[in-house]
Amino acid sequence: MGSNSALVAPVSIGQGATVGAGSTIAKDVAEHALAVTRSRQLEKADWPRPTKKAN
């Protein structure tokens, strides 16, 4: 299990399997398999930053 990994129950991690650091595992991982998740980087041009409302 890599650091900062999360398991979304119920899942099974097979004997000898490796989970990459920072991965969120939502499906079973087979024995001796490598499971890695990473979301695609999303960039929004000219994104309006939220501001706090004045009281």
Side-chain angles (χ1 to χ4, degrees):
M1 288 293 293
S3 63
N4 201 30
S5 296
L7 303 177
V8 180
V11 294
S12 295
I13 308 299
Q15 185 75 21
T18 300
V19 173
S23 294
T24 300
I25 304 300
K27 297 179 182 177
D28 292 346
V29 180
E31 290 186 355
H32 307 289
L34 170 63
V36 179
T37 59
R38 179 181 172 146
S39 61
R40 186 177 299 166
Q41 180 172 325
L42 177 64
E43 187 173 310
K44 294 189 177 194
D46 301 318
W47 178 70
R49 181 178 295 276
T51 57
K52 293 183 179 180
K53 295 179 183 178
N55 290 341

